[in-house]
Amino acid sequence: MRTCRTSPMSTRREQGYTLVEMAVVMSVFVVFMSFASPFIFSQLNAGIRAEERIDLQDSARSALRTMTRELRQASELYNTPGKPTDDARLSFGVDLDGNGSINDYQTSTILEQITYFASEGTLYRSRNPGLGQGAPLAEDVESVEFTMFGSNLAFDSNGDGVVSESELNPDATWTASELANVTRIQVELSVQGDEVQQTFSAAVVLRNRMLG
Protein backbone atom coordinates (compact mmCIF):
# COMPACT_ATOMS: atom_id res chain seq x y z
CA MET A 1 0.00 0.00 0.00
CA ARG A 2 1.30 3.44 -0.98
CA THR A 3 1.20 6.02 1.82
CA CYS A 4 0.49 9.69 0.91
CA ARG A 5 2.34 12.07 3.16
CA THR A 6 1.37 15.72 3.55
CA SER A 7 4.27 18.13 3.96
CA PRO A 8 4.24 20.70 6.77
CA MET A 9 4.33 23.54 4.21
CA SER A 10 1.17 22.24 2.48
CA THR A 11 -0.61 22.03 5.76
CA ARG A 12 0.46 25.59 6.59
CA ARG A 13 -0.85 26.95 3.29
CA GLU A 14 -4.18 25.23 3.80
CA GLN A 15 -4.51 26.55 7.35
CA GLY A 16 -3.64 30.19 6.41
CA TYR A 17 -2.20 32.72 8.86
CA THR A 18 -2.72 32.51 12.58
CA LEU A 19 -4.13 35.37 14.62
CA VAL A 20 -0.74 35.94 16.17
CA GLU A 21 0.86 36.33 12.75
CA MET A 22 -1.88 38.74 11.63
CA ALA A 23 -1.41 40.75 14.82
CA VAL A 24 2.33 41.01 14.20
CA VAL A 25 1.78 42.16 10.61
CA MET A 26 -0.79 44.75 11.68
CA SER A 27 1.51 46.03 14.41
CA VAL A 28 4.35 46.49 11.92
CA PHE A 29 1.96 48.28 9.53
CA VAL A 30 0.73 50.63 12.27
CA VAL A 31 4.31 51.47 13.29
CA PHE A 32 5.22 52.12 9.64
CA MET A 33 2.21 54.39 9.11
CA SER A 34 2.94 56.33 12.29
CA PHE A 35 6.29 57.30 10.77
CA ALA A 36 5.13 57.64 7.16
CA SER A 37 1.87 59.57 7.68
CA PRO A 38 3.44 62.96 8.52
CA PHE A 39 5.61 62.75 5.41
CA ILE A 40 2.69 61.68 3.20
CA PHE A 41 0.43 64.45 4.47
CA SER A 42 3.18 67.07 4.19
CA GLN A 43 3.68 66.09 0.55
CA LEU A 44 -0.06 66.28 -0.10
CA ASN A 45 -0.24 69.73 1.52
CA ALA A 46 2.78 70.88 -0.47
CA GLY A 47 1.08 69.74 -3.67
CA ILE A 48 -2.11 71.58 -2.75
CA ARG A 49 -0.19 74.77 -1.93
CA ALA A 50 1.72 74.54 -5.22
CA GLU A 51 -1.54 74.19 -7.14
CA GLU A 52 -3.08 77.14 -5.28
CA ARG A 53 0.03 79.23 -5.99
CA ILE A 54 -0.15 78.42 -9.70
CA ASP A 55 -3.88 79.30 -9.81
CA LEU A 56 -3.16 82.55 -7.97
CA GLN A 57 -0.38 83.48 -10.37
CA ASP A 58 -2.41 82.59 -13.46
CA SER A 59 -5.35 84.69 -12.27
CA ALA A 60 -3.15 87.71 -11.52
CA ARG A 61 -1.26 87.47 -14.82
CA SER A 62 -4.51 87.14 -16.79
CA ALA A 63 -5.96 90.23 -15.07
CA LEU A 64 -2.76 92.20 -15.68
CA ARG A 65 -2.80 91.26 -19.37
CA THR A 66 -6.40 92.48 -19.68
CA MET A 67 -5.60 95.80 -18.01
CA THR A 68 -2.43 96.28 -20.04
CA ARG A 69 -4.19 95.55 -23.34
CA GLU A 70 -7.04 98.00 -22.68
CA LEU A 71 -4.92 100.75 -21.14
CA ARG A 72 -2.56 100.82 -24.12
CA GLN A 73 -5.52 101.93 -26.25
CA ALA A 74 -6.88 104.49 -23.75
CA SER A 75 -7.44 107.95 -25.17
CA GLU A 76 -9.07 109.59 -22.12
CA LEU A 77 -8.56 109.48 -18.35
CA TYR A 78 -11.34 110.52 -15.95
CA ASN A 79 -11.78 111.60 -12.36
CA THR A 80 -15.46 112.24 -11.66
CA PRO A 81 -17.88 110.93 -9.00
CA GLY A 82 -18.95 108.08 -11.29
CA LYS A 83 -15.51 107.52 -12.81
CA PRO A 84 -12.83 107.97 -10.13
CA THR A 85 -9.05 107.95 -10.51
CA ASP A 86 -6.56 107.81 -7.64
CA ASP A 87 -3.78 105.53 -6.42
CA ALA A 88 -6.14 102.55 -6.09
CA ARG A 89 -8.69 103.25 -8.86
CA LEU A 90 -8.33 104.10 -12.51
CA SER A 91 -11.03 105.30 -14.92
CA PHE A 92 -10.41 105.69 -18.62
CA GLY A 93 -12.04 105.72 -22.03
CA VAL A 94 -11.07 103.43 -24.88
CA ASP A 95 -12.58 103.03 -28.34
CA LEU A 96 -12.82 99.23 -28.26
CA ASP A 97 -15.23 98.90 -31.18
CA GLY A 98 -13.21 101.27 -33.38
CA ASN A 99 -16.14 103.52 -34.34
CA GLY A 100 -14.25 106.73 -33.55
CA SER A 101 -16.13 107.57 -30.32
CA ILE A 102 -16.28 106.36 -26.72
CA ASN A 103 -19.62 105.03 -25.54
CA ASP A 104 -21.17 106.53 -22.42
CA TYR A 105 -20.74 104.21 -19.45
CA GLN A 106 -24.47 104.37 -18.65
CA THR A 107 -25.51 102.90 -21.99
CA SER A 108 -26.07 99.19 -22.59
CA THR A 109 -23.62 99.04 -25.51
CA ILE A 110 -20.07 97.72 -25.28
CA LEU A 111 -18.34 99.11 -22.18
CA GLU A 112 -15.75 101.71 -23.22
CA GLN A 113 -15.65 103.91 -20.10
CA ILE A 114 -13.98 101.54 -17.67
CA THR A 115 -12.90 101.70 -14.03
CA TYR A 116 -10.47 99.24 -12.45
CA PHE A 117 -10.63 98.88 -8.67
CA ALA A 118 -10.29 96.27 -5.93
CA SER A 119 -12.86 95.60 -3.22
CA GLU A 120 -12.97 92.87 -0.57
CA GLY A 121 -10.28 90.78 -2.24
CA THR A 122 -11.60 91.02 -5.81
CA LEU A 123 -10.32 93.10 -8.72
CA TYR A 124 -13.17 94.50 -10.84
CA ARG A 125 -13.54 95.87 -14.35
CA SER A 126 -16.42 98.20 -13.66
CA ARG A 127 -19.03 100.36 -15.32
CA ASN A 128 -19.69 102.36 -12.16
CA PRO A 129 -17.88 101.39 -8.94
CA GLY A 130 -20.15 103.64 -6.88
CA LEU A 131 -23.08 101.39 -7.77
CA GLY A 132 -21.13 98.19 -7.18
CA GLN A 133 -21.27 97.31 -10.85
CA GLY A 134 -18.39 95.31 -12.26
CA ALA A 135 -17.07 92.07 -13.70
CA PRO A 136 -14.42 90.31 -11.58
CA LEU A 137 -10.96 90.07 -13.14
CA ALA A 138 -9.09 88.34 -10.29
CA GLU A 139 -9.71 86.91 -6.83
CA ASP A 140 -7.52 86.95 -3.68
CA VAL A 141 -6.38 90.48 -4.50
CA GLU A 142 -4.60 92.27 -1.68
CA SER A 143 -4.23 95.60 -3.50
CA VAL A 144 -3.97 97.28 -6.88
CA GLU A 145 -1.95 100.47 -7.34
CA PHE A 146 -1.71 102.86 -10.27
CA THR A 147 1.21 105.31 -10.63
CA MET A 148 1.08 107.97 -13.36
CA PHE A 149 3.91 109.38 -15.46
CA GLY A 150 4.12 111.94 -18.25
CA SER A 151 6.33 112.55 -21.25
CA ASN A 152 6.26 116.35 -21.50
CA LEU A 153 9.58 117.48 -20.02
CA ALA A 154 8.13 120.93 -19.34
CA PHE A 155 6.74 119.33 -16.15
CA ASP A 156 10.11 117.83 -15.13
CA SER A 157 10.71 120.27 -12.28
CA ASN A 158 13.69 118.44 -10.76
CA GLY A 159 15.41 117.84 -14.09
CA ASP A 160 15.90 114.09 -13.64
CA GLY A 161 14.41 113.25 -17.04
CA VAL A 162 11.32 111.58 -15.56
CA VAL A 163 7.94 113.30 -15.33
CA SER A 164 6.66 111.75 -12.12
CA GLU A 165 3.19 111.66 -10.60
CA SER A 166 4.09 114.26 -7.97
CA GLU A 167 5.19 116.66 -10.73
CA LEU A 168 2.00 116.11 -12.74
CA ASN A 169 -0.30 116.18 -9.72
CA PRO A 170 1.25 118.16 -6.86
CA ASP A 171 -1.94 118.40 -4.77
CA ALA A 172 -2.68 114.60 -4.96
CA THR A 173 -6.15 115.14 -6.48
CA TRP A 174 -6.32 114.59 -10.20
CA THR A 175 -7.98 117.21 -12.37
CA ALA A 176 -8.91 116.78 -16.03
CA SER A 177 -6.04 119.05 -17.14
CA GLU A 178 -3.51 117.08 -15.05
CA LEU A 179 -4.76 113.74 -16.35
CA ALA A 180 -4.41 115.07 -19.90
CA ASN A 181 -0.61 115.00 -19.41
CA VAL A 182 -0.43 111.33 -18.34
CA THR A 183 1.18 109.12 -20.99
CA ARG A 184 2.42 106.12 -18.98
CA ILE A 185 0.92 104.15 -16.09
CA GLN A 186 2.67 101.71 -13.78
CA VAL A 187 0.27 99.01 -12.56
CA GLU A 188 1.06 96.89 -9.49
CA LEU A 189 -1.23 94.01 -8.56
CA SER A 190 -0.65 92.20 -5.26
CA VAL A 191 -2.36 88.88 -4.60
CA GLN A 192 -2.51 86.98 -1.31
CA GLY A 193 -3.33 83.30 -0.81
CA ASP A 194 -2.58 80.75 1.91
CA GLU A 195 1.08 81.36 2.76
CA VAL A 196 1.56 82.92 -0.69
CA GLN A 197 1.94 86.63 -1.45
CA GLN A 198 3.11 87.96 -4.79
CA THR A 199 3.14 91.28 -6.62
CA PHE A 200 2.94 91.58 -10.40
CA SER A 201 3.66 94.82 -12.25
CA ALA A 202 3.49 96.24 -15.75
CA ALA A 203 4.43 99.59 -17.30
CA VAL A 204 1.79 100.64 -19.83
CA VAL A 205 2.43 103.31 -22.45
CA LEU A 206 -0.80 105.03 -23.52
CA ARG A 207 -0.09 104.98 -27.22
CA ASN A 208 -3.01 107.24 -28.13
CA ARG A 209 -1.79 109.95 -25.72
CA MET A 210 1.95 110.11 -26.38
CA LEU A 211 1.64 113.72 -27.59
CA GLY A 212 0.09 114.77 -24.27
Side-chain angles (χ1 to χ4, degrees):
M1 177 181 291
R2 180 177 295 179
T3 303
C4 181
R5 294 182 179 180
T6 304
S7 68
M9 291 300 294
S10 296
T11 303
R12 187 178 184 84
R13 283 197 297 269
E14 292 173 0
Q15 290 176 346
Y17 295 102
T18 65
L19 289 175
V20 173
E21 291 171 329
M22 290 294 293
V24 171
V25 171
M26 291 301 296
S27 298
V28 172
F29 178 74
V30 169
V31 171
F32 170 77
M33 289 303 296
S34 67
F35 286 101
S37 292
F39 174 77
I40 293 172
F41 284 114
S42 68
Q43 293 301 305
L44 288 173
N45 288 333
I48 292 172
R49 287 196 298 271
E51 186 174 349
E52 290 176 346
R53 182 167 59 251
I54 292 171
D55 290 342
L56 196 67
Q57 292 171 343
D58 287 346
S59 175
R61 289 191 179 111
S62 177
L64 199 59
R65 282 195 298 270
T66 297
M67 289 191 288
T68 299
R69 184 178 63 252
E70 292 186 333
L71 281 171
R72 281 200 187 108
Q73 305 173 69
S75 55
E76 296 183 28
L77 297 176
Y78 310 114
N79 187 22
T80 65
K83 295 170 287 186
T85 288
D86 51 35
D87 290 346
R89 298 175 296 179
L90 178 60
S91 298
F92 62 98
V94 53
D95 182 16
L96 293 175
D97 59 12
N99 66 354
S101 63
I102 297 174
N103 299 324
D104 188 271
Y105 77 100
Q106 295 177 329
T107 67
S108 59
T109 57
I110 183 172
L111 180 60
E112 295 185 336
Q113 293 187 11
I114 302 165
T115 300
Y116 293 137
F117 73 101
S119 176
E120 298 181 354
T122 301
L123 175 67
Y124 290 98
R125 179 184 186 272
S126 175
R127 180 181 298 274
N128 187 338
L131 300 177
Q133 300 173 339
L137 288 180
E139 304 290 340
D140 300 310
V141 173
E142 187 176 37
S143 65
V144 61
E145 184 175 352
F146 304 100
T147 306
M148 314 293 188
F149 297 89
S151 56
N152 188 341
L153 293 179
F155 294 96
D156 183 19
S157 58
N158 61 9
D160 64 353
V162 177
V163 182
S164 65
E165 182 170 303
S166 60
E167 291 169 326
L168 292 174
N169 177 27
D171 62 357
T173 301
W174 288 104
T175 64
S177 60
E178 290 169 342
L179 287 171
N181 294 303
V182 174
T183 56
R184 180 166 62 91
I185 300 175
Q186 180 77 23
V187 183
E188 288 195 358
L189 178 62
S190 296
V191 291
Q192 176 76 53
D194 293 337
E195 303 179 8
V196 177
Q197 196 280 335
Q198 283 191 276
T199 298
F200 300 85
S201 62
V204 186
V205 174
L206 310 185
R207 291 182 287 197
N208 291 330
R209 296 168 55 87
M210 281 306 296
L211 297 179

